[in-house]
Each structure stands twice: as C-alpha cells, then as structure tokens.
Amino acid sequence: MSTEHPIVAAQEPVDKSPPSTTMSTEHPITPPPAQFSHQPSPIKQGPFDAEHRPEHVQRFRYQEETHQKTDFTNAEELFKFLGAPTFHGLSDETFSDMDGSKFVVKANSMSKSIKEEFLPSSLKFGAVDFKEPRSGLVVFKDTETKVPRGHVADIECRPNITAAFEGDFSGNDTTFWPSIRMASEWASKGTSREDQKRKAISYLHYLLLARPDLYVAQGVLASDDGIMFLVGIGGLGIRCLELRWEDEKLSKLLYAFIYRAYDPGHFADSSYKLDPIVAGDDRPTWTITIEVESQVGGVKTERRVPCPNFVPLYASSPFETRTHVFATKSEGVDVDGKKLTVLKDQVCRIRKRFDEHKILDLVHQPKRVPGVVEAVYHQEIELPSQLDDLEIGKTKHRHGLRQLGRPFASIPTVKEMLKVAFDTVEVLRILKAKRDIVHRDISAGNVMYSPSSEDKQDLETSTQEDEVLFFSEFFLSD
C-alpha cells in the first residue's frame, strides 16, 4: 500500500455556485490617509497558508443575481426583521452635516446609550456568555488604514468603519475578523454609487466567511446624503434599506442595528463559541458544540459534546452553498468510539437528491474503502424561524469526519503527485465497480493526501478485508 494516498472528499454535485461568483481581480492599495479621507478600501489577497489554503482564497466578485435580493420596502419591515426592542426610553437622535468622523462619534454615543439602558452587566445568549471583556462597550472605529487579522482566506480587506467590543481592539485599533460585529463603508468621493454599494456588500461577504457563527451579518453604507442599512443573510444574499439623514425613522433603526451588534439573538448559531485569542496567534479557533444521539441499552440518549480548538481551514460561497470546514488542533473528539477530527458545515437545499452523509455510509458498506473519508457524525440544523418568511428553502448540514489530509496542491514532488493521482483513479474505479457510485466533482480541492511522516490514520486501520489496496508504491518505486 502506498504511503502517500488520497483521501477523496465526497461532495454533492448539486446546488453549486459558479466559479466566477467568488473570484475577482485585486484592487490596488491606497496610501494611508492622515485623516478620514473617504478613499476606497482595497481588497488584496494576503500571504496564504500553503498547507491548507493555496487554492481556496475566496475573493469577492459582485453578481446581482447572487447578492441582491428583494430589498426591505420600509423601515417597519427592517425593524421587524431585526427583532430588537422599541427603545422608547432613548431620545431620538438627529443627524445633520454628517461626515465619516461625525458618524463614528454619533454611533459610539448611541452604542453607549444602548449599553447603559438596555443591557445588563452579564448578557447571556444561548451557550454564549457575554461577560467582560465581551460585555464591554461596542465601539465604532475609523479603520480605513487598518487591516483586520485572522481571516480564514488571508484577505487584506479594510472596512472603512469597524464595530467590535472595545476589549477586542488592540493598541493600534486593529482587531480579528471573527471579533467584528459590523463592517461598514463611508462613500468615497469620485466613486459611483453602485461601486460603493458593491464595496459595502464585499465586507459582508468576508464577514460571513470569517464568522461561521452568524446567520446574518450587518453593515451600513453611509454618505453625505444618507445611510443604507445592509444585512447579509447566509445562504440567501443581501437585503437593504436606504434612508436620508433627516428621516424621522432613522434613529430607531440605527439603535436596533447597534443593539444586534451586542446581542446577535436569532442572527447567530449558539453552538459556536470563539476561543480566547492567544497573543501571537493569527488563526483564532472555535469550540463547536455538537448534539450526539446514542443508543444505550435500547434507550435513546442525547448529549452535548463540545469540540474545542477547531481551526478554520476553508470557507466559501456565503450567499449560496455556504460552507465552512474546521480541523482540530488536538487528537480529535470521541464520538461513540470514533475520532472526529474535521467538522464541515454546509447550507443545502431542502429535500435535495444527494446526501453526503448517506453517500459516505454507502461507500463503506459492507466493507471499508481506504482512500475515502469516513463520516462519524451528522446533524441537520434548521435555519432560524425568523428567516422563514424569506422562503430560503435551505437547511444546514453538519458533518463530522475522521480523516484529515493535506491539500493536493501542497504535494512537494512530481513523484508523490503521480502516486496520489494513480491512487485517486483506483479509488474512483473501485467506487464505480463495487458501489455503483460516481464522484462527479473531482478537483484538486476534493483530493487530499496523507504523507507517511504525518497522518497515518487511514494506513494504520487498513486491512486485507478492505475493498481497495493501493499499488502506486510498486509501480512508481525507484
């Protein structure tokens, strides 16, 4: 058996986004301004991690049919969507002669009022406890020259205005992408309105990639004339509402928007919790709690199993088949005697023809097929009921996998690449001959390999009873 062999990732051939939806050319970096200069923020790819992300950088490219959905018809409709308090105890704010700096000051004043009047010192939401410093003040900062850190795709996108808990900002006013509560744009001089809107939408695209815990990401596009509220809904697209500064309903809506920055409520998946960020760590990890069902003595039991220190490896298509893949930094989590090392969340259409978990079960019955990942856990998660009115027609599937390999593109030599290619073809042949299964989405992103010096999970458990033996070591030996 080969010491370098593929782990073929099973994947449904349906509900796929066109490759063009997340690719674009890079924007040039503008010089750092001395003050709020209204210059457009660049979107530039950073130095990606060659071990896991060389071909999965998700750059933004606007497509109207993908991103722009039915806008809110009025302020009442957006307020109902937000589901925030009515804020009767807070005085209405007025907005006159607004510019970027004044907007930041105004937003911070409103945030402080919300914190003092509506939020207790310890705010609990689901499994998340917003104690200090996370229950501190949400602050808005001019971050046009600051690059947030820790994005799964290593992008260098710079929102004009960033909102986060005060304790999540460092001394130089930078923060981590998973800590951002809102990402906003102040309209740039000399830029068309459509380009400005696309820029603001791109921030929500990247925020949903960085925040797997959010069902809905928030942002605004502000200008001298007024403000556009934007919500990015995972698996659906963007909805927005534009108001002029003098609109009497603006104050109430901005209060509601800022309130949801404190308390995501139905905008968040409470099974996620961001782990404490260690100094010097540029890749924040998550604890993801899974619901495990077991049979004990004929009695069905359910228990919550935390999966700590899972690092994001991949994220894509936030407004379509929203996908997030994580791998453990530890030995894995025991699930009914099997080790779970990889978690994959994906938004799929309801009642679709193919089910990844069922397909993987079929692959490994009656005997295991080495070279194909094994599923050890599956859960279907309903999207929040508050989004039902949108008729998304989708649900979230959470898959737990046993094997973790390295990307095909990181194979160091031509010889090893040929070995993996040979074994991949052999796995596909056996799947068709023995299981009558055809993998219709073979790509470099769906083939990983396990070097003999690193991941031996598949090799150590392979036996003569398995369906496939690999011969590339014999054919390609020196």
Side-chain angles (χ1 to χ4, degrees):
M1 181 179 291
S2 168
T3 55
E4 288 85 18
H5 62 283
I7 299 175
V8 181
Q11 208 170 53
E12 298 82 25
V14 296
D15 200 22
K16 293 174 58 183
S17 58
S20 61
T21 49
T22 54
M23 299 297 292
S24 71
T25 56
E26 296 179 2
H27 298 262
I29 297 180
T30 55
Q35 56 184 2
F36 209 108
S37 64
H38 301 181
Q39 295 298 313
S41 301
I43 296 175
K44 182 178 181 295
Q45 174 188 331
F48 46 69
D49 179 357
E51 287 300 309
H52 286 289
R53 292 169 286 173
E55 60 187 277
H56 295 324
V57 175
Q58 291 290 314
R59 288 181 289 173
F60 174 80
R61 180 176 180 179
Y62 179 82
Q63 287 195 342
E64 185 172 357
E65 64 274 17
T66 298
H67 296 98
Q68 192 62 57
K69 303 304 177 184
T70 304
D71 287 339
F72 298 102
T73 57
N74 52 53
E76 288 73 18
E77 186 180 357
L78 174 54
F79 195 84
K80 179 181 178 182
F81 177 82
L82 294 171
T86 56
F87 305 108
H88 290 312
L90 300 179
S91 59
D92 288 339
E93 297 285 341
T94 57
F95 306 85
S96 59
D97 299 324
M98 295 299 293
D99 58 25
S101 299
K102 289 181 180 178
F103 175 76
V104 169
V105 171
K106 180 69 71 172
N108 281 326
S109 174
M110 296 175 74
S111 176
K112 184 177 180 181
S113 297
I114 292 173
K115 167 67 177 171
E116 293 174 348
E117 297 294 331
F118 282 87
L119 301 176
S121 59
S122 179
L123 170 67
K124 289 180 180 287
F125 166 63
V128 181
D129 187 354
F130 290 98
K131 292 182 178 178
E132 295 293 343
R134 289 196 162 274
S135 62
L137 186 67
V138 168
V139 296
F140 291 73
K141 289 182 179 287
D142 171 8
T143 52
E144 186 176 3
T145 63
K146 312 294 183 180
V147 179
R149 296 161 285 160
H151 199 284
V152 61
D154 276 328
I155 50 92
E156 293 184 4
C157 172
R158 301 199 303 246
N160 282 165
I161 302 170
T162 300
F165 282 113
E166 191 171 26
D168 288 333
F169 281 103
S170 65
N172 62 352
D173 287 345
T174 62
T175 188
F176 284 87
W177 271 100
S179 298
I180 293 178
R181 321 300 288 186
M182 290 174 58
S184 302
E185 171 83 355
W186 185 269
S188 307
K189 299 292 185 181
T191 305
S192 72
R193 187 63 171 171
E194 281 304 307
D195 285 345
Q196 294 166 355
K197 184 177 179 180
R198 292 172 186 178
K199 177 74 71 173
I201 289 174
S202 74
Y203 299 155
L204 302 190
H205 170 98
Y206 290 122
L207 188 54
L208 284 174
L209 292 181
R211 294 285 306 269
D213 60 319
L214 290 183
Y215 291 116
V216 179
Q218 299 172 248
V220 301
L221 169 60
S223 68
D224 296 340
D225 299 322
I227 185 171
M228 179 184 293
F229 296 92
L230 300 108
V231 292
I233 305 168
L236 178 69
I238 299 288
R239 300 186 73 193
C240 60
L241 177 71
E242 189 168 7
L243 298 176
R244 297 187 63 83
W245 289 120
E246 59 268 23
D247 195 302
E248 61 182 11
K249 298 173 183 176
L250 173 57
S251 178
K252 177 181 177 180
L253 273 178
L254 190 52
Y255 273 126
F257 236 60
I258 297 173
Y259 178 87
R260 279 288 165 242
Y262 280 102
D263 177 11
H266 59 282
F267 283 5
D269 180 346
S270 61
S271 67
Y272 283 94
K273 184 176 181 181
L274 186 64
D275 295 328
I277 298 176
V278 180
D281 188 359
D282 64 344
R283 301 183 67 188
T285 62
W286 297 82
T287 292
I288 307 170
T289 301
I290 61 176
E291 304 285 344
V292 178
E293 294 184 357
S294 304
Q295 292 284 344
V296 179
V299 178
K300 182 179 178 180
T301 62
E302 297 182 1
R303 68 185 191 278
R304 294 167 58 88
V305 178
C307 303
N309 297 316
F310 270 68
V311 61
L313 296 184
Y314 172 70
S316 71
S317 308
F319 301 117
E320 296 168 286
T321 55
R322 187 183 182 189
T323 304
H324 292 269
V325 179
F326 308 83
T328 180
K329 280 188 170 183
S330 62
E331 295 297 320
V333 178
D334 183 82
V335 178
D336 294 335
K338 296 181 179 179
K339 286 294 183 182
L340 185 156
T341 63
V342 176
L343 277 170
K344 172 184 175 182
D345 275 6
Q346 186 170 51
V347 174
C348 304
R349 295 191 182 280
I350 297 175
R351 294 181 297 274
K352 67 191 181 78
R353 181 180 176 186
F354 296 94
D355 186 295
E356 183 173 357
H357 185 79
K358 292 180 180 178
I359 291 174
L360 288 175
D361 284 345
L362 289 173
V363 166
H364 296 293
Q365 296 296 331
K367 297 179 181 179
R368 178 174 168 274
V369 178
V372 181
V373 292
E374 294 175 78
V376 299
Y377 174 78
H378 174 254
Q379 181 185 5
E380 185 172 347
I381 302 172
E382 293 184 2
L383 298 181
S385 59
Q386 289 87 346
L387 303 182
D388 286 349
D389 292 341
L390 304 177
E391 298 182 356
I392 296 177
K394 295 183 178 181
T395 186
K396 181 161 72 173
H397 288 264
R398 177 166 290 169
H399 301 276
L401 306 175
R402 190 175 71 85
Q403 293 92 345
L404 172 64
R406 298 174 63 186
F408 184 88
S410 65
I411 299 176
T413 68
V414 173
K415 178 180 176 181
E416 290 183 40
M417 183 274 293
L418 289 173
K419 290 180 181 179
V420 173
F422 182 94
D423 286 350
T424 300
V425 172
E426 177 65 5
V427 170
L428 296 174
R429 184 188 70 80
I430 293 297
L431 287 178
K432 179 62 177 71
K434 298 293 185 70
R435 300 290 189 266
D436 199 26
I437 293 175
V438 176
H439 196 307
R440 303 195 311 181
D441 190 24
I442 287 296
S443 65
N446 277 337
V447 177
M448 295 184 290
Y449 86 116
S450 302
S452 57
S453 61
E454 294 183 7
D455 192 345
K456 296 185 179 181
Q457 296 176 85
D458 209 46
L459 291 170
E460 291 175 347
T461 57
S462 298
T463 70
Q464 294 292 331
E465 298 300 317
D466 291 332
E467 291 280 14
V468 181
L469 293 178
F470 301 98
F471 304 100
S472 56
E473 185 71 23
F474 172 77
F475 286 110
L476 298 173
S477 60
D478 295 326

